[in-house]
Amino acid sequence: MTQYLISVSHDTAEAPTMETMDPAEIQPIIDAVGAFNQKLQDAGAWVFAGGLQPIQSATGVDYTGDEAVVTDGPFVESKEYLGGFWVIEAADDAEALQWAKEGSKACSGRVEVRAFQDEPDRD
C-alpha cells in the first residue's frame, strides 16, 4: 500500500481559528473530523493525523549558509498555509482521492492529496 498525505489548507492567516471561533460553530467540525478519523482507523487506512497551531506560532529555520538563521513567523509569506493533515495508506490514487473527498467534507475545507515518494532501493 502507498502512503498519502492529505493536507488541509487555510485561506488566510487572518481567518478565524479554533481558538477564536464560536464553540457552536467549531463543534460540528470537531465531531465530523473525529468520525472521519474513526472511519480511517476502522478501515485500516489510518497512519497518523494532526492539526497545527496557528501560522503566527511558526518559526522559520534556514541553515543553507554558514550559520543557521532562525526567525519568528512562517518561512514564506502566503495567503494559504497548512492547518493540519492526515497520513493514510491506500491501495491506489482513486482510493486516496475518495478519502480526501471525505476529509474535505469533514473539516469543511479544501484539502490536497499527494503520494509519498517511494524509498530508493538500497543495495
Side-chain angles (χ1 to χ4, degrees):
M1 290 251 228
T2 302
Q3 290 189 343
Y4 292 82
L5 174 71
I6 300 174
S7 56
V8 180
S9 62
H10 292 283
D11 289 335
T12 175
E14 287 78 37
T17 64
M18 288 181 61
E19 292 79 15
T20 62
M21 289 178 74
D22 180 343
E25 290 180 284
I26 194 72
Q27 192 59 50
I29 297 170
I30 292 170
D31 293 344
V33 168
F36 176 65
N37 289 346
Q38 189 61 55
K39 187 174 181 179
L40 283 169
Q41 291 169 15
D42 292 347
W46 172 276
V47 176
F48 181 78
L52 300 172
Q53 293 292 333
I55 191 68
Q56 296 85 349
S57 69
T59 301
V61 179
D62 182 357
Y63 202 171
T64 57
D66 293 334
E67 295 184 26
V69 177
V70 179
T71 56
D72 290 338
F75 181 70
V76 295
E77 290 187 32
S78 174
K79 289 188 174 193
E80 292 185 354
Y81 66 95
L82 182 64
F85 61 91
W86 289 275
V87 176
I88 65 164
E89 289 187 338
D92 54 31
D93 291 351
E95 183 181 330
L97 183 58
Q98 185 57 42
W99 283 120
K101 289 175 184 177
E102 292 185 42
S104 174
K105 183 74 168 171
C107 71
S108 295
R110 294 180 310 147
V111 303
E112 175 181 277
V113 59
R114 295 172 64 187
F116 282 90
Q117 295 177 356
D118 293 332
E119 291 191 34
D121 291 333
R122 300 180 196 254
D123 297 328

